Amino acid sequence: MDDRNQKGAVPDQALVHECLERLLSSPPFEKSPRQQDLLRYLVKETLAGNAERLKGYTLGVELFGRGVDFDPTTDAIVRVEVGRLRTKLREYYGSNGNVDAVVFALPKGGYVIDIHASGNRRSSERPVITTPKSADKLFEQEISLAVLPFANLSANPEQEYFVDGIVDNLIFELSQLSGLLVISRQSSFRYRNSDKSSQEIGGLLGVRYLLEGNIQLSEKRVRVTVRLIEAQTSASVWADRYDGNLQEIFALQDEITLSIVKQLQIKLSPAEAQLFGHEGTESIEAHDELLRGIACHWKYAPKFVAEARAHFTKAVELDPNYASAHAWLARTLLFLWVMRWEPDEALYQDALVHAKKAAAINSRLPYVQSILGWTHLWHRNRDECIAACRQAVAIDPNNFEAYIFLSMSLSCAGFGEEALYYIEKAQRMNPHSSPFYEYTLGLAHYVLKDYEKAIATFKRGCEIGATFPPNFVYLCVTYQQMGLKAETLATRHAYFAILGGDTSKILLSPWLEKNLHDQFVRLMVEAGIGYSGTSYRPFDAPAGAQ
């Protein structure tokens, strides 16, 4: 019998090299130079017997250009790239690689490549691409939860912003727990007043549990009723009612959250236990202004975002040390400027002031770090931008928006592979797409020069949100890049219709990489939706220049 077909035998190195080059030139790898370099490096060190050198720190420094102060626990570059490598290997061996004489596998828990003859592989071990399972089957082993919108039982329907604010806070607190996966607000809030059954909603969101409830406000008293439901059976696992004074709302929210944790039997780490009891403000009035502002901001229209700005401004006046209020004010100021609804350059500068203030008050809030990163993005402070966004994900690996902002920042810096990894990971927390998600996903495809996928993604974003301008801009530019003139013209007309013909409101570009910036501005001009001054400041200008 040929040695290469004996179980555990390692093929000769000539055959290994031949099969490795075939793998690296295959469709899953041909447009991924970083994955090619990573696999070559791991194979080389494995064959040289240097298994002890294959550590996260070594890979970060020697392969990914990190400095000597690289910390694999806070910088996810190695985990991201190794995860993508495993995905590409599964894709390859599930298609044209299933006839190769040599198999390269990367078992979890290490970086040593398993190199063996394919004849040794038991059928149950053969990596294949299976038909995607439904979300509820794919994730049935994890503890997953969706917090549905609570009903407002108050006599005043305008109190809904307060009810939504309590639900938002529950989602935020629960999402920070490592033992629980929580679906994002963007997806769970789609089921407000839904007539779908618990089983249907659970299946669509891919969760084991649903949390529903109602809230009643009466003068200075608040009553919260909550019910935890097992989605598959629609059975009530636990229910309770909480009463208190409005001034005690923060303690009430913590009590509810800890009760849910107990019912789901989630073990809190010491750091997670310390999350409770730190709400950021003791001013109910400031918190009320924050909740009113958030409700306005989510409507994504000039009038309402301007109202949100007024509420957030009032919140920081009532409590100058309220980190979340400063972060939301920074987001709203920058959003008004980015969308060109208020082109005053002072907004662009003030946004960074408030983002930095929020981080100075409480740097451990993932939302604060995400907004700090997003603000640095528009000031073209690349390192500060990416560092803040990475920190947001490190603090809360369950936060949908943190992944969105990180992916966008990485794309703008030219790191398309890593950006794609994070935006695809975000989808698990947000099963129902949104214009913002499709824009960020399309951006990663655009940076990777996968223009057909970028077009399909931006088109999807335009269909989901017909008034969200970025998808129209980037779709038009990508059509121009592909030389599709008729499609470019049609998309340009659609974009101008959104602007109402006011070309002074044409969106700006936040690129951190000069070649991407220059190409994009050129394509905007060629497509007829930009001009030579489309960039909000000269690319190489100092951060404070206009």
Side-chain angles (χ1 to χ4, degrees):
M1 180 183 292
D2 190 328
D3 287 343
R4 290 176 304 189
N5 290 328
Q6 295 178 13
K7 183 174 182 179
V10 177
D12 66 79
Q13 292 203 15
L15 185 59
V16 168
H17 178 76
E18 177 185 335
C19 290
L20 178 62
E21 292 307 311
R22 181 174 185 271
L23 182 154
L24 294 176
S25 62
S26 67
F29 283 87
E30 62 180 351
K31 293 183 179 180
S32 303
R34 182 174 285 189
Q35 299 303 311
Q36 292 177 351
D37 292 343
L38 174 57
L39 184 56
R40 280 199 178 97
Y41 181 94
L42 295 179
V43 169
K44 175 184 174 183
E45 294 299 319
T46 297
L47 292 175
N50 295 328
E52 74 284 351
R53 295 191 68 250
L54 296 178
K55 308 294 184 183
Y57 177 83
T58 306
L59 294 177
V61 173
E62 294 191 5
L63 202 59
F64 300 121
R66 295 302 196 255
V68 293
D69 59 346
F70 170 62
D71 183 356
T73 63
T74 58
D75 186 337
I77 182 65
V78 175
R79 295 195 301 275
V80 167
E81 295 303 333
V82 168
R84 293 199 62 79
L85 177 57
R86 290 192 177 104
T87 299
K88 288 184 179 294
L89 286 172
R90 286 197 298 270
E91 181 181 352
Y92 175 71
Y93 288 114
S95 56
N96 51 332
N98 58 9
V99 297
D100 283 9
V102 176
V103 171
F104 300 91
L106 182 52
K108 288 189 175 182
Y111 304 116
V112 177
I113 296 293
D114 174 14
I115 307 170
H116 56 267
S118 58
N120 294 327
R121 206 173 184 92
R122 297 189 300 268
S123 60
S124 62
E125 297 175 324
R126 187 179 300 277
V128 296
I129 301 300
T130 58
T131 302
K133 300 178 182 179
S134 62
D136 56 329
K137 294 294 184 183
L138 186 60
F139 296 98
E140 62 184 3
Q141 298 305 314
E142 66 190 351
I143 302 178
S144 49
L145 172 74
V147 184
L148 302 179
F150 283 16
N152 174 24
L153 299 185
S154 306
N156 184 0
E158 293 183 2
Q159 292 292 337
E160 193 160 288
Y161 79 90
F162 184 84
V163 175
D164 287 351
I166 290 180
V167 176
D168 281 340
N169 192 74
L170 287 173
I171 292 173
F172 168 71
E173 288 191 345
L174 290 167
S175 73
Q176 295 185 82
L177 307 181
S178 58
L180 180 65
L181 187 145
V182 182
I183 297 300
S184 74
R185 177 194 204 274
Q186 285 90 332
S187 283
S188 63
F189 268 53
R190 286 177 176 240
Y191 297 97
R192 189 192 298 274
N193 302 321
S194 174
D195 58 0
K196 293 185 181 297
S197 68
S198 299
Q199 190 172 14
E200 288 176 305
I201 296 174
L204 290 167
L205 293 177
V207 294
R208 292 174 64 184
Y209 300 101
L210 300 174
L211 187 73
E212 62 180 23
N214 58 66
I215 297 175
Q216 184 173 4
L217 285 171
S218 178
E219 295 182 351
K220 298 297 183 181
R221 299 286 297 175
V222 59
R223 169 174 291 177
V224 183
T225 302
V226 293
R227 188 162 72 108
L228 185 66
I229 300 168
E230 187 176 49
Q232 189 171 6
T233 63
S234 298
S236 178
V237 176
W238 160 81
D240 209 342
R241 188 177 72 190
Y242 300 83
D243 293 279
N245 295 320
L246 193 58
Q247 295 292 329
E248 301 169 340
I249 189 63
F250 299 137
L252 203 63
Q253 290 175 160
D254 281 348
E255 185 180 354
I256 295 170
T257 303
L258 288 170
S259 295
I260 296 167
V261 168
K262 181 180 179 180
Q263 293 300 319
L264 295 177
Q265 300 181 22
I266 297 170
K267 185 177 180 180
L268 298 180
S269 69
E272 289 171 342
Q274 293 176 10
L275 292 172
F276 302 100
H278 302 277
E279 309 303 337
T281 185
E282 295 181 0
S283 170
I284 292 296
E285 293 78 13
H287 187 62
D288 187 71
E289 291 291 342
L290 179 77
L291 297 184
R292 290 177 185 271
I294 292 172
C296 289
H297 183 91
W298 289 132
K299 295 178 182 178
Y300 288 130
K303 174 180 179 292
F304 293 110
V305 177
E307 289 179 10
R309 175 188 178 185
H311 286 300
F312 297 141
T313 300
K314 183 66 174 176
V316 298
E317 289 173 354
L318 289 166
D319 185 354
N321 292 314
Y322 195 1
S324 294
H326 281 285
W328 272 103
L329 180 55
R331 180 175 188 169
T332 298
L333 290 172
L334 190 56
F335 190 68
L336 286 166
W337 181 78
V338 167
M339 299 299 288
R340 314 309 288 159
W341 292 340
E342 291 189 30
D344 184 356
E345 297 289 344
L347 274 67
Y348 158 76
Q349 299 295 342
D350 290 346
L352 186 58
V353 172
H354 285 286
K356 287 182 175 179
K357 175 70 173 177
I361 296 169
N362 189 348
S363 63
R364 291 298 301 168
L365 288 176
Y367 184 76
V368 165
Q369 289 293 342
S370 288
I371 297 306
L372 179 63
W374 187 56
T375 310
H376 275 307
L377 169 65
W378 284 94
H379 281 258
R380 293 214 185 101
N381 301 326
R382 192 191 80 160
D383 293 347
E384 293 88 342
C385 161
I386 295 176
C389 289
R390 286 193 193 283
Q391 183 67 11
V393 170
I395 295 170
D396 186 358
N398 213 4
N399 190 302
F400 167 71
E401 280 204 318
Y403 284 100
I404 288 277
F405 285 118
L406 176 56
S407 177
M408 184 191 308
S409 300
L410 290 167
S411 286
C412 289
F415 302 124
E417 285 277 353
E418 195 174 355
L420 186 61
Y421 170 84
Y422 281 114
I423 190 60
E424 288 178 343
K425 191 168 184 178
Q427 189 176 27
R428 171 63 185 119
M429 289 158 269
N430 190 51
H432 293 299
S433 192
S434 66
F436 194 19
Y437 174 85
E438 297 295 343
Y439 160 68
T440 310
L441 176 59
L443 195 62
H445 287 311
Y446 177 87
V447 171
L448 290 170
K449 298 183 179 180
D450 196 338
Y451 298 124
E452 290 184 358
K453 285 186 179 178
I455 286 172
T457 305
F458 292 136
K459 282 180 68 176
R460 216 161 39 238
C462 292
E463 292 166 359
I464 295 172
T467 59
F468 186 70
N471 282 312
F472 289 87
V473 172
Y474 284 75
L475 178 59
C476 190
V477 164
T478 311
Y479 276 142
Q480 180 66 29
Q481 171 68 32
M482 296 289 285
L484 301 172
K485 295 182 179 180
E487 290 84 351
T488 300
L489 182 62
T491 307
R492 183 178 73 195
H493 287 328
Y495 175 49
F496 282 168
I498 296 174
L499 299 181
D502 185 355
T503 56
S504 68
K505 295 182 178 179
I506 288 175
L507 291 181
L508 307 176
S509 61
W511 298 105
L512 297 169
E513 204 279 324
K514 190 175 188 303
N515 290 334
L516 284 169
H517 167 271
D518 292 347
Q519 171 187 292
F520 195 82
V521 170
R522 173 180 58 79
L523 289 169
M524 284 187 73
V525 174
E526 292 175 357
I529 58 170
Y531 47 91
S532 59
T534 297
S535 178
Y536 52 96
R537 61 180 171 83
F539 190 85
D540 295 318
Q546 302 301 315

